[in-house]
Amino acid sequence: MTLAGKTAIITGSNSGIGLGVARELARAGASVVLNSFTDSDEDHKLAADMAAEFGVQVRYIQADMSKGDQCRALVEKAGGCDILVNNAGIQHVAPIEDFPVAKWDAIIAINLSSAFHTIAAALPGMREKGWGRVVNIASAHGLTASPFKSAYVAAKHGIVGLTKTVGLETAEVPITCNAICPGYVLTPLVEAQIPDQMKTHNMSREEVIKEVMLDRQPSKQFATVEQLGGTVVFLCSAAADQITGTTISVDGGWTAL
Ligand code: NAD
């Protein structure tokens, strides 16, 4: 399939899943806008290297997804988009009594409110063009919970609700809005949780991976960023024209348990 002529914005895409999704969209021919809150030489080099590798336009636009005005400015600076992937996200693990208020606010802002702002900013252009795809990277934690992840679980359940609402608001036009719910994917975000989990459970790195993280993932394998990128590309295809307002799990069976 080709996404030539389409522009995709992927929030939080200088590493992990966002980068993997951006690469698959570029491979499928889309022009890509990479984003994060940093503005380093490496960020711009990532864009230049991806452009050279796939022969498509790749831009890097700095914007902090914890700030509503910057979320909207990202869409404006990109000149609108045909495909919007809301992926930026952070995590913090603590019992609710000790959960830092600043962390709660940041997680709700980055993992949930940013999507409200980018979708609001991108939809008018999609309606004008008569085609659009919104894909929100939620989580298995958008459908089920785990202890100590109150803000993350709340934000991810919130984004599933937002996905349904936007799916309904765009149901009669050729725009779809869906959420992908990954299980565990080995990215920097997950990597950063391992030391805490080792302390909490008094386990080795290997034990944490097998017995804690992949405990709920029946396949006993991490999902890959390429698989998530492929799922986004599928949602952008004509085969997915009638898939809207719903979730697709890429979780090795986690939510079937
Ligand atoms: P990651 O840490 O590798 O990537 C997060 C990205 O978000 C980075 O590019 C980072 O720069 C960006 N980001 C963070 N704060 C930002 C801000 N204020 N403004 C702009 N960008 C910001 O993590 P990841 O694992 O690739 O996670 C990506 C998304 O996938 C998140 O929404 C996460 O919740 C979700 N997810 C991850 C997993 C997993 O197992 N890795 C599972 C389910 C869902």
Side-chain angles (χ1 to χ4, degrees):
M1 75 167 292
T2 179
L3 293 176
K6 308 289 190 205
T7 297
I9 299 176
I10 306 96
T11 70
S13 46
N14 66 352
S15 86
I17 294 171
L19 181 57
V21 167
R23 287 179 55 81
E24 295 312 309
L25 287 168
R27 197 189 305 281
S31 296
V32 163
V33 175
L34 299 176
N35 154 265
S36 186
F37 59 93
T38 52
D39 197 14
S40 67
D41 290 347
E42 292 90 78
D43 292 328
H44 292 276
K45 185 171 182 307
L46 200 58
D49 289 350
M50 202 186 293
E53 183 177 351
F54 297 109
V56 296
Q57 187 192 49
V58 183
R59 290 172 287 164
Y60 180 85
I61 301 179
Q62 187 272 344
D64 183 346
M65 293 298 105
S66 70
K67 311 260 188 311
D69 54 345
Q70 292 195 31
C71 296
R72 289 170 188 258
L74 168 65
V75 175
E76 201 177 306
K77 283 182 194 164
C81 62
D82 307 285
I83 299 163
L84 171 65
V85 182
N86 288 303
N87 167 79
I90 59 166
Q91 173 66 286
H92 187 79
V93 181
I96 192 155
E97 304 94 308
D98 306 328
F99 211 93
V101 173
K103 286 285 182 196
W104 170 276
D105 289 344
I107 289 173
I108 299 299
I110 296 168
N111 297 20
L112 176 58
S113 302
S114 67
F116 158 67
H117 293 292
T118 55
I119 293 169
L123 271 185
M126 291 179 179
R127 287 189 194 279
E128 220 167 275
K129 288 187 194 166
W131 193 89
R133 290 288 190 264
V134 179
V135 183
N136 298 318
I137 306 298
S139 169
H141 283 118
L143 303 169
T144 120
S146 293
F148 313 125
K149 296 186 176 177
S150 53
Y152 189 84
V153 170
K156 294 301 186 180
H157 276 68
I159 204 152
V160 169
L162 177 67
T163 300
K164 292 178 185 177
T165 304
V166 175
L168 290 178
E169 290 187 22
T170 55
E172 291 187 19
V173 292
I175 297 171
T176 67
C177 178
N178 294 288
I180 297 176
C181 295
Y184 269 111
V185 188
L186 195 56
T187 64
L189 183 139
V190 167
E191 194 63 58
Q193 292 175 44
I194 295 177
D196 272 356
Q197 295 277 4
M198 284 168 66
K199 262 190 242 150
T200 307
H201 298 280
N202 195 22
M203 283 180 175
S204 70
R205 181 186 159 82
E206 289 64 36
E207 285 170 331
V208 162
I209 289 175
K210 280 274 172 230
E211 291 170 33
V212 180
M213 295 186 153
L214 297 183
D215 177 49
R216 294 173 72 183
Q217 200 143 308
S219 66
K220 297 295 170 200
Q221 291 178 51
F222 285 111
T224 68
V225 299
E226 290 79 12
Q227 290 161 356
L228 294 166
T231 307
V232 173
V233 171
F234 162 68
L235 285 172
C236 294
S237 73
D241 277 352
Q242 286 301 311
I243 300 177
T244 197
T246 192
T247 59
I248 297 185
S249 290
V250 183
D251 67 2
W254 178 334
T255 45
L257 279 174

